[in-house]
Amino acid sequence: DLSTTVRTSGVLSLAVSPDGLTLLSGHNDGIRFWDVSVFMETGPGWTRDILRLREKGHVRTIQPPVVLAWSKEGRAAYAGPDQALRLVDASGGTETPLAPPQPGGVTALAFSPDAQLLVSVGKDPAARLWDVKNLRLKALIKGHRSALRAAAFSPDGRHLALGGDDRQLHLVRMA
């Protein structure tokens, strides 16, 4: 039984803000912010329907995001149609490139609980662990035999779970 339903364009990905008050949704036509308490589109500094970023004096629209993640510090990460990873400051809308396109595309993203690391997984069998502060690849995690589809950090950040098409679930101990 659904308590609230909103009609929208095709949904590709979802991420809930750390405070649980805002839902970030990736669609075929852009990124939307939702106020969970009233389930209406909202967002400071964003257009009503599509995330727009001010970059060198002009406004650019992001279309469509493929996967999304949200850090506890209010930064969002996404891989767009070109599969390059980007970080977005949700309070001001500034975008920072993080990584070039991942071979085969990105299927999932997850921030570590301390928001210092971002893991990206995709259609190749290696997970990429990114240092968010220094904007560099920290580690390439291998061990799967086929595409990865899911990634999640434990709440204490000591473990990273990875799963994919090879029907294996790997639990990686973080240093």
Side-chain angles (χ1 to χ4, degrees):
D1 184 27
L2 298 174
S3 59
T4 305
T5 303
V6 175
R7 305 264 315 150
T8 185
S9 62
V11 178
L12 303 173
S13 53
L14 298 168
V16 177
S17 64
D19 61 11
L21 300 176
T22 306
L23 175 68
L24 181 64
S25 60
H27 300 263
N28 293 321
D29 61 354
I31 299 172
R32 297 179 184 171
F33 285 75
W34 300 86
D35 179 333
V36 175
S37 65
V38 292
F39 212 30
M40 292 180 63
E41 290 181 58
T42 185
W46 314 100
T47 63
R48 177 170 161 67
D49 294 347
I50 301 172
L51 173 65
R52 298 169 78 81
L53 302 175
R54 296 204 175 276
E55 191 173 87
K56 296 181 182 163
H58 67 280
V59 176
R60 183 170 57 86
T61 302
I62 300 168
Q63 294 183 351
V66 176
V67 292
L68 299 165
W70 204 328
S71 78
K72 71 174 188 172
E73 297 176 341
R75 282 203 284 186
Y78 78 94
D82 63 359
Q83 294 299 315
L85 292 178
R86 294 171 181 84
L87 298 172
V88 178
D89 177 354
S91 64
T94 56
E95 179 183 309
T96 305
L98 177 62
Q102 190 160 317
V106 176
T107 56
L109 295 170
F111 278 100
S112 62
D114 65 4
Q116 299 301 306
L117 301 172
L118 176 73
V119 64
S120 64
V121 299
K123 296 177 183 171
D124 67 335
R128 287 159 177 76
L129 195 61
W130 301 97
D131 177 332
V132 175
K133 182 179 179 185
N134 297 310
L135 304 175
R136 66 175 180 82
L137 182 65
K138 182 173 180 164
L140 195 61
I141 303 169
K142 298 181 179 182
H144 280 270
R145 294 189 296 254
S146 62
L148 291 170
R149 302 286 177 189
F153 282 95
S154 63
D156 63 7
R158 293 179 22 200
H159 295 92
L160 171 63
L162 301 168
D165 290 349
D166 62 4
R167 300 191 294 179
Q168 294 183 11
L169 181 62
H170 289 191
L171 193 61
V172 179
R173 183 165 298 165
M174 304 300 291

